[in-house]
Amino acid sequence: MNPYVLATLLSSLGLGTTLTFASSHWLLAWMGLEINTLAIVPLTAQHHHPRAVEATTKYFLIQATAAAVILFAGTTNAWFTGQWDVLNMSDPIATTMLLAALSLKIGLAPMHFWMPEVLQGLDLLTGLILSTWQKLAPFALIIQTFQAFDPLLLTALGLTSTLVGGWGGLNQTQLRKVLAYSSIAHMGWMIIVLQHAPYLTFLALLTYILMTSAAFLTLKLSYATKIGTLATTWSKSPLLTATATLVLLSLGGLPPLTGFMPKWLILQELTKQGLPLTATMMALAALISLYFYLRLCYAMALTISPNTVTSTTPWRTQTSQISIPRALSTVVALALLPVTPTIVVLLI
């Protein structure tokens, strides 16, 4: 892709998200979401492959539908209350439509069906943008309007997403689909604690973005898209394999890695709010997700590739990929747990 075109598209992505962040009017918030969608469509379709075109079409239709429902919800609320203010969502019909549309935008279950299919058709870098940056603008609206939503509905959405994200990833062989279901499960963790402690939702989103960035960039460096490909990575780069295994375990939420921090704090908050049954179900759902992360770790670090190669090992040339973002995101995805108290104090 032409670097000028790429720069324009990336700056448009930033503009759309910033516009939604800064707006207090529903029309401006909707405009930011639309700029975001239109900026990523050329990035998703850049490879001119049938799967990429199919994924782009699905993504555009889903996002356009969600944006239309958000605009309709804002208009309905303005019709009944006379205000376009984002923080003044008081009409029950409008708030229900808004929650459904925002859930569709971020891929919350049961509106998650597009996410694995779309992510499977994209390359890893565009998939990374889709899984991280594209969640920010809808989440900004969710965090601003959560007090208008039904608490029971938020809890149901959170539990469903965590369970669906766990179950859906169990029998996948494609790494991008595994990461899509991982995203759905993480969204559930963020939504379920939103009504009790919004700062924990922000913390979970931040750690999810860091861990997912590390996972995607590592897979891009090793050119891995299927579980079978992972078995050959240890012979090429043992250190990369070791850090990738730890990043996957961090995504699963194992101590003493960064991924344990949001899960620990969310379970603690749910218990403090008198919801031990919900906390137990969330912890058990996290175990289901942990299984498929362990499956990836097993394929990567504990198996030998079944391919018998009779030829000599080819010369390994230096990679031209930039490694600093991957190194930084990996360090942060592994080592933030000891500074948990400091992070919590800063967020509160």
Side-chain angles (χ1 to χ4, degrees):
M1 184 178 277
N2 187 307
Y4 296 114
V5 175
L6 184 62
T8 307
L9 293 174
L10 291 177
S11 58
S12 299
L13 273 177
L15 172 69
T17 306
T18 310
L19 191 60
T20 306
F21 278 178
S23 59
S24 58
H25 194 285
W26 273 117
L27 274 179
L28 278 176
W30 169 80
M31 204 182 298
L33 293 171
E34 284 296 285
I35 291 170
N36 233 342
T37 303
L38 292 174
I40 202 172
V41 163
L43 290 173
T44 55
Q46 64 182 314
H47 293 296
H48 308 293
H49 187 273
R51 288 209 71 127
V53 174
E54 181 191 339
T56 306
T57 310
K58 285 177 181 173
Y59 182 72
F60 177 74
L61 290 173
I62 290 289
Q63 297 296 312
T65 306
V69 176
I70 287 170
L71 187 60
F72 186 50
T75 312
T76 308
N77 188 65
W79 180 272
F80 285 114
T81 64
Q83 289 199 14
W84 283 92
D85 194 359
V86 171
L87 296 173
N88 189 33
M89 287 294 288
S90 53
D91 183 63
I93 299 170
T95 51
T96 307
M97 282 195 296
L98 178 68
L99 182 59
L102 289 171
S103 301
L104 184 61
K105 265 202 170 293
I106 62 172
L108 266 179
M111 279 80 80
H112 67 283
F113 295 100
W114 62 272
M115 181 96 185
E117 298 302 321
V118 167
L119 210 59
Q120 178 58 28
L122 308 179
D123 67 309
L124 287 166
L125 267 187
T126 317
L128 170 61
I129 296 171
L130 194 78
S131 303
T132 54
W133 186 261
Q134 293 297 92
K135 309 279 190 196
L136 292 177
F139 249 104
L141 293 176
I142 290 173
I143 289 172
Q144 285 182 79
T145 54
F146 78 92
Q147 287 172 332
F149 300 141
D150 182 15
L152 194 62
L153 191 57
L154 285 176
T155 306
L157 278 172
L159 271 173
T160 311
S161 293
T162 317
L163 287 165
V164 166
W167 282 112
L170 286 180
N171 63 341
Q172 299 298 333
T173 57
Q174 298 287 336
L175 295 176
R176 282 166 292 187
K177 281 192 176 181
V178 169
L179 287 168
Y181 280 108
S182 161
S183 172
I184 293 163
H186 278 90
M187 293 298 122
W189 280 91
M190 294 169 213
I191 288 295
I192 203 157
V193 79
L194 181 61
Q195 56 197 317
H196 307 299
Y199 72 93
L200 285 183
T201 298
F202 179 69
L203 174 65
L205 180 62
L206 199 63
T207 50
Y208 160 75
I209 287 173
L210 290 167
M211 293 183 296
T212 307
S213 301
F216 268 102
L217 293 171
T218 304
L219 293 177
K220 183 178 179 294
L221 193 67
S222 53
Y223 300 103
T225 54
K226 295 194 288 285
I227 289 185
T229 324
L230 291 177
T232 61
T233 55
W234 67 271
S235 59
K236 296 176 190 169
S237 177
L239 189 60
L240 184 71
T241 306
T243 54
T245 307
L246 290 172
V247 166
L248 289 170
L249 292 177
S250 184
L251 269 168
L254 274 189
L257 304 167
T258 303
F260 178 63
M261 173 173 52
K263 288 186 169 63
W264 169 36
L265 292 171
I266 289 169
L267 291 177
Q268 187 184 19
E269 184 63 34
L270 289 173
T271 313
K272 272 199 287 188
Q273 296 292 337
L275 299 165
L277 188 61
T278 309
T280 307
M281 289 177 71
M282 291 296 285
L284 291 174
L287 285 178
I288 303 172
S289 295
L290 182 61
Y291 174 78
F292 64 74
Y293 294 121
L294 284 171
R295 186 163 160 244
L296 295 184
C297 294
Y298 176 75
M300 187 183 282
L302 297 171
T303 57
I304 295 176
S305 175
N307 306 322
T308 308
V309 183
T310 53
S311 59
T312 55
T313 308
W315 184 261
R316 295 196 190 108
T317 55
Q318 283 288 98
T319 179
S320 59
Q321 296 185 41
I322 303 167
S323 58
I324 291 176
R326 180 180 51 80
L328 287 174
S329 57
T330 303
V331 168
V332 174
L334 300 182
L336 280 189
L337 188 64
V339 293
T340 300
T342 312
I343 294 170
V344 172
V345 167
L346 287 172
L347 287 174
I348 292 175

